[in-house]
Amino acid sequence: MIDTRTLIKELIQNHSIKGYIIDSLKRYHSLMDIIHILPSCNQIDFTKVPQQHQKIIEIFSNVIDTITKSVLLITTIESMSYESQRYFGNFIKKNDLPVPFAYYMWNNHINSVEYKINFNILSEIMCLTNGQYILQIGSKSAIGMGKTSMLQYIFPDKRTEALSTDGSSTLRNGCIDVLCSSEERNQKDESHTIFDVHGTMNIFNEDIITSIQTYCSLQLLYVTKEDLNGVFLNSMMNYSECIKTKPTIVIIFDPNYDDKRIGPDHIINSFQSQYGHWKNIRWITAPPSELWYQRDHNKKNKDLTRSQQLLKSFKELRESINTDVQKYIKCTSIFSIQSYYLTVKNSTNSSAPVHCHFEIEDRLKQLFGGLNEKTENLRITTPVSYLDSAIKQCEKDSVNNWNAPQTEIQNRKKNLIRERSRIATINRHTAFFIDLLTKYTYTELLITEKYLEKWRSQFESTLLEQLSNAKAEASKLISRIKQIEEHLSAENIQMQQELRNVKSEFNQQYRLVNEINQKLMNIDLTIGLFCDEIMALYELSPYIFKPSSLIKDIAKAFVNLMQKGFAIHILRGRPLHCHSRLIEESIKFLASTTMQEPPLVLTVIGEQSSAKSSLMNTTFGCNFRVSAGRCTIGMYMSIIHWKSKTIVIFDTEGLLSLEEAGSIFDNQMITMAVLSSHLVLINHKGEVSANLKDLIGMSFYAKLNIKSPIKPKLLFILRDQADLSSKKTFFRQLTQLKDQLQNDSKFLKRSIDDELDINNENLYLLPNAFSHDTDAISNIPRCWRNQTFPQEIIKLRQIIFNNITSTTKPRRFHQLSSTIATSTVEPQSPMAEVAYTDMTQLYTKISSNWEAIDRLGPRLLECKTLYELSILQELQIIANEIIKATNATVFQHGEGLIEKTLLEFSRDGCIDKELDGINNKFNHQLTGIITQVVNQAQMDFNDKTERSCYLAETKLKVSRYLEPAIHSVQHLLRENFKTRIIDLLKKARVNDAQKQLLESVQTEFDQHKSFELHELKYRLETKFRSTIEQHRKNLQSSSKTETEIIQNILKFYNNQLLCKQQETTHGSIYKLLFTIQDDAEFRKHSKKFESCLSWPEQQTQQQSPLKFSGLWKAFRSLFSGSSEKCIDSVWEKLKDEPTWITTNTQVNKYKGTFAQIWNNVIPEFQDNLLTSIKATQSLSSNPTTIQHLFQYIENAMNSPCITKQYCVDKHILCSDLAVIGLETIITEAIAKEKSDYELNLQNTTNEIKECQDNLYKQYTAMKNSIELGQTLAETIGKQIVEDICRLLQRRIDKDIREDIIKSQFINHEVIQKQAYEQSISQANGENILKYIYDINRYFIELSFEEIKTTLHTVTHHHTLKFKNLIVTAINTANTFVQEHAYEHTHELRNGIRKAILDIPELKSTELLERELYSMFALNNVIRMTITEKKLFNQGFENICTYYKDIEKTINDLTKNIKTEAFNSCKQSIASRLGCQARCPGCGAKCSKTEPHQKEEVQVWQDPCKICLPSDCTCKHPEPSVVETHESTYHLATAFRGTRYHKTHTPCLELCYQRWTTIGVHAGKQHQPNNLQNEKSDETDDEDEIIFPKAKYYNERHPSWYNNLKKQSTEGNACNERIPPPDQRRAWMVVRHAIVDRYKISMIDNEEYDDKLYPLNVEALPADFEPRWKDENFE
């Protein structure tokens, strides 16, 4: 708070009080606070002032009486730079103070007083004007008569307090002040600018007065009776012919003004008789100052009478002359006067005055002259922003507006995107504003701003009036709706109809409000809007900004604008969006010029039109846009500095507006504030309202879900308070609000105090900033800025600073800390938590916050109150129960439909012929089921939510999500159906083949029952062969050919390669690869390897057949060892073809590099690829394996032996790895297709052969009933066992898959953590090698460990009853035969089947499943007569022999079942391995799940050698967008074979340690042979060192850069030079094996520091190989 002491202290310290003068104007205090304090400074006790300061205080005390507002302003102006002066002029004008234009100043250089004309102070406020210029000047005789005081009567908007009437007349003689009209008059197009000349014309001001007179529209000349014989009027009027005709008012100071007997006519006639030839002059009298100051007992009444008479006279006179004034061409800029003044000053014969013309005005007229309120201004001038908003609105409508026609929305969106895609150049409007920002002066920018303001004013007033009327009408309708609803009853039909009618009227009025708002937005063309367009255009097409330095210039211009008061538009557009790469660039410049300490964030929120922006402007001197209605769209950012603090201020769009009624906008905006801010100012007019409680409550709920490290303080600013002393009343209201919030949020089980700091007394009352009253003299309503408001602003500002610097973190952070702490810590005073380290992080975080709010908004913030939220959650629980029950029903019905559909088509025998028809029919029927259950679910929901507390609107929100949740099951059922139909197709083909054979034999038997055995055998064999041949043809027709397989795989490869080449940056491995169009081209690329294998094949003729790909399996089998002899042989054979290594004199070095590639890189590459292949069922129709191939190529190319050796021809090696990988995949795919074909054919052949043998046995036993019984017993018994085995296998497989899916342990994150702990952390040597050698396989092994118990339990559960089930089924078959007598074997077979299916354990099997899988069909039985039933029964009893050795049978079958279960389990686990990327530094596996999201990665820029580090203005490269990787567990790079340069010892550092302090040895990028340096020798001097390490990863491996950069400051042991303790111990366990693995390039340390590396661990031997545990069930 400013007082005498602070003013004197400031004076002593700085010899100036400029800071307080500026602050007074910022607060709109008009210097009154300083003027009031100055007299008290004379009362200072000099004895209490230190002696060294007494003289300055004494001097100051002597001049205090002469200090006026004008003196304060002039001295402040003269102490400023020219640029600051121009900006300072705005503050003077906003305070309605006269702007000093011409004044006297002491010139130290000439040691004399100097008359100074300061055009600079007016250059911003008068660069472009549209009002009248008025000159006021008087004769010498009129000095001291009160010319300036007359202005309040001529222009009633002028108040006495705003006029400069104080000070010495001598010192003021000739000075000129400029008075601007009020904002109210500007809006009414009645603006004017008055040049008030104090004293009269003299030798100092003659030229400037003449120049002003030339351009003014009206002259006010003051004279006295003495001037009848003087030269004043002649000198003023006879300057030129133009001035003679200029509208002029001559005001005659008449000492007899109050004397009614004399009247004004006498003196006016005297002047008219002498100067009557001047036709444009109006004459009027006025009282001189002596009449106002005379002592009179009736002075008050006389003053009142005199004042009213003056007001009336001047009003009539102004009206009479107004027509002439309006005809006169207005001067539009102070620069016209300046230009003419310089001409007059520098020449004796000045030319005729010319209105100053600006080239920029012509340009603006060209751009905007053809636009009006009816043209599509936004689409024409800012097309990208317009189309972006329209596209985003379509996306919002598609997601949120369920009732909208989706096809129409999507078509509209496609058309908009198509239109946007055609924007290939910068349109003329945007190009102009880019030039305006980067090439034009700031004054020209202000001219543009004022021009646009004038353009808008043509249409704005009408639209605002329409909007006000529409809102008023809508408000009335809302009130009427509430009144009707209060008295509404179900029986009153008339009132219900009235309610519908009123609501219809309101909806119509609401649409009208939105239409008018759209029109207002259409004309709201501002500089800020075009800045938004530049941002949007840069996001769309950054490449069209030429030259490349242009963006840097624009970013700098944005920062300069903000420093001059133009706020940066952070949240913009409709719908709102935040992120902008151009703002990011600007923030970089901002951070380099403004940062002192980590930024603190202050956000102001409040109702629309509650003067939030004005409050910030007044409190902190910001320049946020202010006007009636919604002037702030989204959120704007400004920055201030207080002491050493940097405070970022966010001004937000108004809440609780009619335009956003019913939307989630208000919740989103206040949530953005509490997530991002240290202090939230809640600006509210009147009392603490329930609306605030509801908004704060929902923001609390959102903050719980979107975590934020800040616990913001909430400071309530209650505006327009009449009684500032009634704080206790409002404290109680705030306490009540907080209690209600606590009560409403109980269901969340969290306290408001955990996340928000709402102190019961954190509330401040502010009066209205303006005072309103009716003028006692003129009876005109007046409005002016009062003195109380700016005084209170000082107190408020201090409260804000105290609060913003003492915020804390939410309680959850303290709870986390307390669990880590081991001792009690004394409580400390609260401190501001460093939530943002710098401006760049701040912008990144608020962009992230808005992204989260915008993404989660429709679900997170759809409720308006916590009560509604609690009701919503109750409804969601009900809905979830319905969804759960409905999904179970849908799944059950869907499974039944699957079996029914399959059974129906299998009965018709057309599965093989009508696959498409079957799929279509199933999908149609499934859709019908879904529709039915959705309707039933909706009915159930409505029945369970009939309570009155469940509002219809809230019920609708929840019910909308019923259908999507149920539809999710539909997809699962469709996938299941596809799998089942393929399996059934295979089985149907086998059954058809068996059926054909059986029917053929049965026909032959029925016709020729007396066949000889050899003839029957011949006929069976013939039919068997024909059946097998037909089945083989069927299988062949459904199998893919080699050409088709190759084409599919190459298609996947080419498509993904083209996508990756478009997305990646220069230097990526994808730029080294090429597409392979067809089989011929592929064979051409792989042909070069055939010669390489000619020698190896001679060496390996005795090797077993290849299990995997022939070409590279041969390579692996040949070079499985790594002996020097073997490497020498390979080197000699392969050094020339393929040319991976560029050979020259350094043969040994390059041979070593080749050996590392051959022994380590390629085997690891192929092992990983084969692991991926094993996990894929269909290689030729699944692109996943190709995705993994690209990642394995990248991992291989990132190996140290490749990246750090320039002798490697990387483009050749990279493309060859692709060919190797493709050859492996294609070979495996062909082998798998062939294997599947042969396996199917072999299984079918075996089954049909078995059927043939059974039929032959039955025929041979036909004449012997005992033998026939034995034969059928064997056939039926075997089928019983097989069918029971298949049934159990299906059940086990189903249960295992479900358990794998449900398992919380078999997921990427958990397994990765477990893998690290069980290997590195536990120092388990074997597991460490598994982790390093093949982490994917190790993941599978660990997954088996997790699922093994479940696997055993499930198999044990199902096989436990295996024996009893088989025995029961066989006994049931035997009992049935013994108890029944049938004449034919067919009848007997059917009876046995029915009896078995009636067994309780099997009866539970669904009927559809029985038929579909033909359970116990016993098909291999031919129909023949049973002659002797007793003997037959006796023979059939042999079926019981099946369980004499049942234990062995059960064991064998159980083993087979477990093997099948194991393979199924392994395949399911392998599909969940996640991303295959490996860290290029340490080989750690990427911990992200697939697919990855793209992120921006900053492009490296070396420190500037020209600019200072803190003030670099050079261009910063644009960030690249890549699919990034990250790992939670980075390792010391030695585990991957990395060694220190030259010493070749293990590099025992993490890949992110010493991030900015050391370089990385990297092989130079290979040059063509003819460019190689022939002086290369055995040294490594020609190799490249990239410094620092951060630059190496940024340039070579950008996809890992973000993660490693973060780890370099936050990761384990990030500030050390050694690995963490667990990794040091792990290294000592496996170092011999690792060094041996990389022995060609690595040697072990001679000794280790026993304080860091434990020497007593049990180390593995060098030749140790880990034993894997993933090959079998056990």
Side-chain angles (χ1 to χ4, degrees), residues 200-417:
T200 189
M201 184 186 296
N202 57 34
I203 59 173
F204 299 113
N205 63 17
E206 180 178 0
D207 290 339
I208 188 60
I209 290 175
T210 302
S211 301
I212 296 170
Q213 185 182 23
T214 302
Y215 285 96
C216 69
S217 301
L218 175 65
Q219 300 181 102
L220 302 177
L221 305 180
Y222 292 84
V223 296
T224 67
K225 188 175 181 179
E226 295 178 18
D227 293 303
L228 279 171
N229 301 316
V231 297
F232 174 73
L233 287 177
N234 283 317
S235 63
M236 292 300 299
M237 297 299 294
N238 289 331
Y239 180 74
S240 67
E241 291 299 323
C242 173
I243 292 176
K244 288 180 182 180
T245 60
K246 194 179 294 290
T248 304
I249 297 176
V250 176
I251 303 160
I252 308 167
F253 285 118
D254 184 4
N256 299 314
Y257 184 83
D258 291 343
D259 193 341
K260 296 180 181 180
R261 294 170 299 173
I262 300 176
D265 294 340
H266 176 72
I267 194 168
I268 290 176
N269 292 335
S270 299
F271 276 93
Q272 284 181 333
S273 62
Q274 186 167 342
Y275 302 104
H277 56 284
W278 294 331
K279 303 301 182 183
N280 289 326
I281 289 185
R282 302 293 190 275
W283 305 87
I284 192 172
T285 60
S289 56
E290 61 193 42
L291 294 182
W292 299 96
Y293 299 142
Q294 66 184 359
R295 300 177 64 86
D296 194 308
H297 66 278
N298 203 21
K299 183 178 185 305
K300 186 173 182 180
N301 290 335
K302 287 185 177 181
D303 286 351
L304 178 59
T305 302
R306 192 183 303 125
S307 298
Q308 290 178 347
Q309 183 177 345
L310 280 172
L311 285 168
K312 180 181 178 183
S313 302
F314 278 118
K315 180 181 179 182
E316 293 172 352
L317 185 60
R318 283 292 309 275
E319 289 174 353
S320 67
I321 204 174
N322 189 55
T323 304
D324 295 335
V325 172
Q326 294 299 331
K327 289 178 182 178
Y328 205 86
I329 299 175
K330 298 177 182 178
C331 180
T332 58
S333 176
I334 188 63
F335 298 123
S336 296
I337 297 174
Q338 184 178 18
S339 176
Y340 189 67
Y341 167 72
L342 294 175
T343 302
V344 172
K345 192 77 174 172
N346 297 325
S347 64
T348 54
N349 297 317
S350 58
S351 59
V354 178
H355 281 281
C356 191
H357 180 73
F358 299 108
E359 180 185 342
I360 196 170
E361 287 187 87
D362 290 337
R363 187 82 176 100
L364 290 166
K365 288 175 184 176
Q366 293 173 7
L367 291 172
F368 299 100
L371 303 180
N372 54 55
E373 80 279 15
K374 295 181 180 179
T375 53
E376 287 191 282
N377 301 322
L378 298 182
R379 196 168 203 153
I380 294 169
T381 61
T382 57
V384 179
S385 298
Y386 173 84
L387 293 171
D388 279 348
S389 292
I391 292 167
K392 287 185 175 70
Q393 189 59 53
C394 288
E395 293 170 351
K396 291 280 186 182
D397 291 343
S398 180
V399 174
N400 299 334
N401 191 354
W402 291 51
N403 299 320
Q406 294 299 313
T407 304
E408 180 183 331
I409 292 174
Q410 292 304 319
N411 289 338
R412 185 166 73 249
K413 179 183 174 183
K414 288 178 183 177
N415 292 335
L416 291 167
I417 292 174

Side-chain angles (χ1 to χ4, degrees), residues 386-504:
Y386 173 84
L387 293 171
D388 279 348
S389 292
I391 292 167
K392 287 185 175 70
Q393 189 59 53
C394 288
E395 293 170 351
K396 291 280 186 182
D397 291 343
S398 180
V399 174
N400 299 334
N401 191 354
W402 291 51
N403 299 320
Q406 294 299 313
T407 304
E408 180 183 331
I409 292 174
Q410 292 304 319
N411 289 338
R412 185 166 73 249
K413 179 183 174 183
K414 288 178 183 177
N415 292 335
L416 291 167
I417 292 174
R418 194 179 300 112
E419 182 179 350
R420 187 179 64 180
S421 67
R422 291 196 290 265
I423 298 176
T425 58
I426 302 175
N427 77 344
R428 62 192 189 115
H429 292 86
T430 308
F432 166 75
F433 278 91
I434 291 175
D435 289 343
L436 183 67
L437 291 171
T438 57
K439 298 177 181 179
Y440 287 65
T441 64
Y442 182 67
T443 300
E444 288 170 302
L445 185 140
L446 289 177
I447 291 174
T448 303
E449 183 187 30
K450 293 178 184 293
Y451 177 91
L452 292 176
E453 184 179 346
K454 181 179 179 181
W455 181 88
R456 293 193 304 271
S457 66
Q458 302 173 79
F459 325 106
E460 206 166 32
S461 57
T462 303
L463 289 173
L464 287 173
E465 184 178 356
Q466 293 175 359
L467 181 63
S468 177
N469 294 335
K471 284 186 175 182
E473 185 61 30
S475 180
K476 292 178 183 178
L477 291 171
I478 290 174
S479 300
R480 180 60 183 151
I481 290 171
K482 291 180 179 179
Q483 291 174 2
I484 297 174
E485 286 177 339
E486 287 177 0
H487 301 91
L488 189 65
S489 63
E491 296 80 14
N492 195 333
I493 299 175
Q494 182 179 356
M495 190 169 286
Q496 290 177 356
Q497 182 61 43
E498 184 183 359
L499 179 62
R500 285 192 290 270
N501 293 339
V502 177
K503 284 185 176 180
S504 175

Side-chain angles (χ1 to χ4, degrees), residues 1539-1547 1580 1641-1645:
R1539 54 181 173 78
Y1540 286 114
H1541 185 43
K1542 295 191 176 181
T1543 65
H1544 301 283
T1545 54
C1547 181
D1580 291 322
S1641 61
M1642 181 186 286
I1643 58 175
D1644 200 4
N1645 291 308

